[in-house]
């Protein structure tokens, strides 16, 4: 069977890692007709829009997309195109596995964690009120009236919506994933002791959903601050974590750190009938065009994509090839070497070539 898949190269190091991943995926023998689409600055330059409808339509039609990282200006300028894609397509589940690979420098061995992050709500809903604007002043006045609490007049405000609907579906997703992947436990992570009406709702809803999986998958609760410490001290006590958007974003980077960093952290944004696969890392603009960075996070995102399109055998072969190349430690990028200036390090495409040679 031939699959049609959307490919968004992204910017910065995006095109280099996306091409490396595409070549590795093609080398598995799975027949893919790649449909290239633009988003971010490239799309703005070519079509006058950051996220053209054409790009969204391509993903909706093909149901799967491999995406390179896209830059977002910090503090000012346009909002994240990466977040906009997830919102526009209702890709509500963000799946971020963190797994140890032999040969990767890291403080821990044998870690195998999966972070399931809610992707559509919370402080990332993009509902923000800028300091000093009339609508912000109105909002502050209204909140002060109804809550009887003071907000300083020079405040900016971000809204944190958390709904039962979105919580039910993400917690259900986490349990269903755990069942399918042969996992043992789901831990829900919140700050429900402080934010009772948002995190509290997330926790209560998770407890309800968990009841339907009793006897099949264990359920456990944790507070996010304590979880950050527990993950550093006893990461092997955890299996699948399910979290609201912001905590999920932060702790998934922490989990990536446990297994050797962003260079090997893949991700998937999954909705009811489509998904976008991308590395956890960003566009690392300082390395752009140098054929230097590690392509593994993007290739492992490709492994998740192959699993999603039910090409499990190819997914396994590709992951094994990646594992072997890393374990051998010869044809790997600078960040896998003991000395980052080791002249025997290969470039992005060289590492992809080594992986392809094993397929
Ligand atoms: P980043 O992940 O791009 O880079 C942080 C550092 O991690 C880099 O300096 C580099 O040392 C290292 N790194 C990242 N990827 C690597 C790789 N493949 N191989 C080796 N080292 C790697 O994070 P940032 O600097 O915070 O963000 C840069 C830009 O990327 C920003 O514009 C940000 O908005 C964007 N971003 C995009 C996404 C996405 O597309 N989903 C995610 C995160 C950040």
């Amino acid at each position: 069977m031939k699959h049609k898949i959307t490919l968004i190269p992204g910017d910065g190091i995006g095109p280099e890692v996306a091409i490396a991943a595409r070549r590795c995926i093609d080398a598995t023998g799975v027949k893919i007709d790649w449909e290239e689409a633009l988003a971010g600055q490239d799309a703005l330059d070519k079509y006058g829009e950051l996220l053209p409808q054409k790009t969204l339509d391509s993903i909706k039609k093909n149901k799967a997309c491999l995406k390179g990282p896209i830059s977002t200006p910090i503090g000012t300028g346009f909002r994240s195109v990466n977040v906009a894609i997830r919102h526009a397509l209702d890709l509500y589940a963000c799946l971020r596995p963190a797994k140890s690979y032999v040969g990767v420098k890291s403080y821990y061995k044998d870690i195998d964690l999966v972070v399931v992050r809610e992707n559509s709500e919370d402080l990332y809903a993009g509902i923000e009120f800028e300091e000093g604007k009339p609508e912000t002043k109105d909002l502050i006045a209204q909140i002060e009236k109804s809550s009887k609490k003071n907000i300083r007049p020079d405040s900016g405000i971000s809204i944190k919506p958390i709904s039962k609907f979105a919580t039910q579906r993400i917690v259900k997703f986490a349990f269903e994933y755990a069942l399918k992947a042969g996992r043992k436990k789901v831990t829900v992570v919140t700050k429900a002791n402080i934010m009772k009406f948002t995190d509290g709702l997330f926790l209560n809803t998770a407890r309800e959903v968990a009841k339907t999986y009793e006897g099949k998958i264990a359920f456990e609760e944790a507070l996010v601050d304590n979880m950050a410490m527990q993950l550093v001290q006893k990461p092997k006590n955890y299996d699948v974590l399910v979290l609201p958007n912001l905590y999920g974003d932060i702790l998934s980077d922490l989990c990536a750190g446990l297994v050797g960093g962003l260079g090997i952290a893949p991700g998937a944004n999954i909705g009811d009938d489509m998904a976008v696969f991308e590395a956890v890392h960003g566009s690392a603009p300082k390395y752009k065009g140098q054929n230097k960075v590690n392509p593994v996070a993007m290739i492992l995102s490709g492994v998740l994509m192959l699993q999603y399109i039910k090409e499990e055998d190819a997914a396994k072969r590709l992951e094994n090839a990646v594992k072997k190349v890393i374990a051998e430690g010869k044809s790997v990028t600078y960040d896998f070497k003991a000395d980052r200036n080791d002249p025997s390090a290969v470039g992005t495409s060289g590492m992809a070539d080594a992986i392809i040679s094993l397929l």
Side-chain angles (χ1 to χ4, degrees):
M1 179 187 164
K2 193 162 192 177
H3 305 271
K4 195 156 188 182
I5 289 175
T6 305
L7 179 75
I8 301 177
D11 53 50
I13 58 166
E16 298 159 52
V17 290
I19 288 166
R22 173 184 170 161
R23 287 174 51 227
C24 290
I25 294 165
D26 285 340
T28 63
V30 172
K31 301 249 170 310
I32 295 178
D33 183 4
W34 298 95
E35 187 169 274
E36 269 207 37
L38 297 183
Q41 193 62 48
D42 296 350
L44 190 63
D45 295 344
K46 189 159 176 197
Y47 303 115
E49 292 179 88
L50 285 162
L51 181 53
Q53 188 57 42
K54 210 172 139 170
T55 298
L56 292 174
D57 288 344
S58 166
I59 304 171
K60 281 185 193 163
K61 174 171 59 80
N62 296 331
K63 309 289 182 203
C65 168
L66 186 69
K67 175 189 158 296
I70 297 172
S71 306
T72 311
I74 294 178
T76 55
F78 61 79
R79 285 185 184 282
S80 166
V81 177
N82 309 300
V83 175
I85 293 173
R86 296 168 202 160
H87 282 183
L89 302 174
D90 200 19
L91 306 176
Y92 59 85
C94 177
L95 189 73
R96 290 183 170 175
K99 198 163 158 181
S100 299
Y101 289 100
V102 174
V104 179
K105 279 174 285 170
S106 144
Y107 293 108
Y108 303 89
K109 278 191 193 118
D110 305 323
I111 304 281
D112 189 6
L113 285 162
V114 176
V115 173
V116 176
R117 161 187 170 197
E118 203 289 323
N119 231 357
S120 69
E121 303 198 316
D122 195 359
L123 284 163
Y124 285 27
I127 311 168
E128 296 202 291
F129 293 85
E130 195 177 343
E131 181 267 314
K133 287 275 162 73
E135 58 271 25
T136 314
K137 287 184 186 154
D138 287 350
L139 182 67
I140 290 176
Q142 229 172 23
I143 295 172
E144 287 188 332
K145 202 167 144 212
S146 52
S147 72
K148 311 273 181 291
K149 294 222 165 96
N150 290 328
I151 297 177
R152 290 199 172 90
D154 57 350
S155 298
I157 296 191
S158 298
I159 303 288
K160 171 174 167 134
I162 290 197
S163 69
K164 272 193 197 167
F165 171 83
T167 307
Q168 267 162 357
R169 69 177 178 177
I170 194 66
V171 177
K172 190 160 177 258
F173 179 96
F175 274 99
E176 288 298 318
Y177 172 83
L179 273 179
K180 255 189 257 149
R183 301 262 169 180
K184 302 275 177 286
K185 182 169 76 175
V186 171
T187 305
V188 61
V189 185
T190 64
K191 190 72 184 165
N193 53 334
I194 306 292
M195 283 164 281
K196 299 193 187 293
F197 298 151
T198 48
D199 286 28
L201 181 147
F202 195 96
L203 176 59
N204 288 332
T205 308
R207 285 174 178 160
E208 283 304 309
V209 175
K211 282 183 193 156
T212 54
Y213 295 89
E214 243 169 41
K216 293 185 205 147
I217 301 280
F219 175 67
E220 180 182 75
E221 305 172 7
L223 294 175
V224 64
D225 41 354
N226 180 253
M227 194 66 201
M229 184 187 71
Q230 295 292 335
L231 280 170
V232 171
Q233 290 197 320
K234 300 174 199 156
K236 287 180 196 162
N237 283 0
Y238 301 95
D239 192 353
V240 176
L241 309 179
V242 62
L243 316 88
N245 210 336
L246 174 66
Y247 310 144
D249 194 14
I250 297 169
L251 288 197
S252 59
D253 267 34
L254 188 153
C255 290
L258 297 177
V259 297
L262 290 175
I264 56 154
N269 300 291
I270 304 173
D272 278 333
D273 70 342
M274 67 186 95
V276 172
F277 299 85
E278 60 180 338
V280 174
H281 66 69
S283 57
K286 70 177 174 191
Y287 292 118
K288 178 184 173 175
Q290 295 178 28
N291 185 31
K292 181 168 175 166
V293 294
N294 180 351
V296 169
M298 195 68 192
I299 297 170
L300 292 177
S301 304
V303 169
L304 296 177
M305 189 196 81
L306 286 168
Q307 288 166 350
Y308 184 79
I309 62 170
K310 306 220 169 348
E311 295 284 359
E312 277 96 358
D313 174 63
K316 233 177 245 150
R317 284 187 288 115
L318 179 52
E319 189 187 5
N320 283 339
V322 171
K323 258 188 210 166
K324 260 195 194 151
V325 170
I326 298 176
E328 206 183 49
K330 234 174 86 200
S331 302
V332 292
T333 46
Y334 71 100
D335 52 323
F336 285 116
K337 298 281 186 184
D339 169 9
R340 288 167 80 90
N341 297 315
D342 186 333
S344 72
V346 299
T348 311
S349 58
M351 185 156 183
D353 290 340
I355 293 164
I356 290 166
S357 74
L358 297 178
L359 285 163

